Amino acid sequence: MSGNESGTKDIPQVISVDDHVIEPAHLFETWLPSKYRDQGPKPFTAGIGELAYVGGKYRFTTDPDGQITDWWRYEGEVFPYKRIIAAVGFSRDEMTLDGITREQMRRGCWDPKARLEDMDLNHVEASLCFPTFPRFCGQTFAEARDKEVALACVRAYNDWMVEEWCGDSGGRLIPLCLIPLWDVDLAVAEIRRNAARGVRAVTFSEIPTHLGLPSIHSGYWDPFFAACEETGTVVNMHIGSSSQMPAASPDAPPAVQAALSFNNAMASMMDFLFSGVLVKFPRLKLAYSEGQMGWIPYALERADDVWEEHRAWGGVRDLVPEPPSSYYYRQVFCCFFRDKHGIEAIETVGVDNATFETDYPHVDSTWPHTKRVAEEHVGGLSAEVAYKLLRGNAIRMLDLPFDQDRTVAATA
């Protein structure tokens, strides 16, 4: 696509590194081995009852007199689909916590052919999609009592993701797989199983300790990070993949959590920068999904200042030999979709570190106006930088078979 130094005339098609998929009702019936189907997740349709927010999660009950909703039932727990997670096509005032059926959703939420059509309408060439019912990094299965069935569910989800959701898309739908979070050896095996069939992205928790799992400082996850480095698998961490969202007060309205959502990405990035993980695994790639980027310049400044002034008593003098920002620029990717402050600071954020997302079909999604939103952000940038932000960095991050000649030339 052409452009000039004062702005871009015709922006390139977007590669979105953070979208979402609503799982079809047949997923586990089709892809779960028959011996596990009776114990696996079951779809059903019922009225939705009262909502409560308990332990960082929304809890719902069924109600025969409530709004008809599509659900999953698994190990005695029920999970409804809500309008805010399948919001495309609704007005802002209609994007609520009300239940929704697949029939009421835009078909692109769960049907891959329809998704490609919606991507065409939205100036998007390729898309990486996070799960919904399993939650952002597979917490649903990590919390399950029967881990044998849970492991089968993780594998079934990944098989569906690779072979059905992405299989006939010509590479436009990019597979993003789960791991069994409760066992690092099984996680390594799943990374290698999927990498062997071309998968280059896995979803992981931004703050594993919030899930009752070992921290990234403990060394427990090193075999997982080593397998990701070896296979070129990008570790993708979505806001909320710790099953917690930041809030200033326990009784604050959900809007406070929404406004503070980037805090999780910021906390996680600081954790990694001072962990030594990026030193030990210099080719490991981290991607922060839906965290935006306007906060990054100060976070890097503060990290480097702490390293310079406080590294002896701060416990990182021998662990992190270079300023933390050097590891960020080498190994970490952020993403954005509404962040003009981040664009103003793009040289510090990193023209080679920022990627773009559309968040389809969530309440924040830029669908079907992504081209206009992208133009508003990159219109004042050079064509080369606009290309990197909208697609080039994603191609390089995920080793995608798009524009390879141009990407290599741009990063040479």
Side-chain angles (χ1 to χ4, degrees), residues 22-35:
I22 304 297
E23 296 78 19
H26 69 261
L27 192 159
F28 295 101
E29 180 67 25
T30 300
W31 293 97
L32 196 62
S34 56
K35 65 180 287 189

Side-chain angles (χ1 to χ4, degrees), residues 15 125 387 391 395 400-408:
I15 293 178
E125 182 169 13
Y387 168 84
R391 62 185 288 117
I395 291 171
L400 300 176
F402 299 107
D403 310 348
Q404 288 288 2
D405 292 341
R406 179 168 180 176
T407 304
V408 170

Side-chain angles (χ1 to χ4, degrees), residues 326-366:
S326 64
Y327 304 103
Y328 165 82
Y329 289 120
R330 186 177 74 186
Q331 295 173 252
V332 179
F333 293 84
C334 58
C335 74
F336 73 100
F337 55 101
R338 290 191 186 92
D339 192 338
K340 293 183 180 178
H341 183 73
I343 288 291
E344 290 174 0
I346 195 60
E347 292 295 330
T348 308
V349 169
V351 295
D352 294 316
N353 300 81
T355 59
F356 197 76
E357 62 166 294
T358 78
D359 202 30
Y360 182 109
H362 281 189
V363 65
D364 261 332
S365 179
T366 54

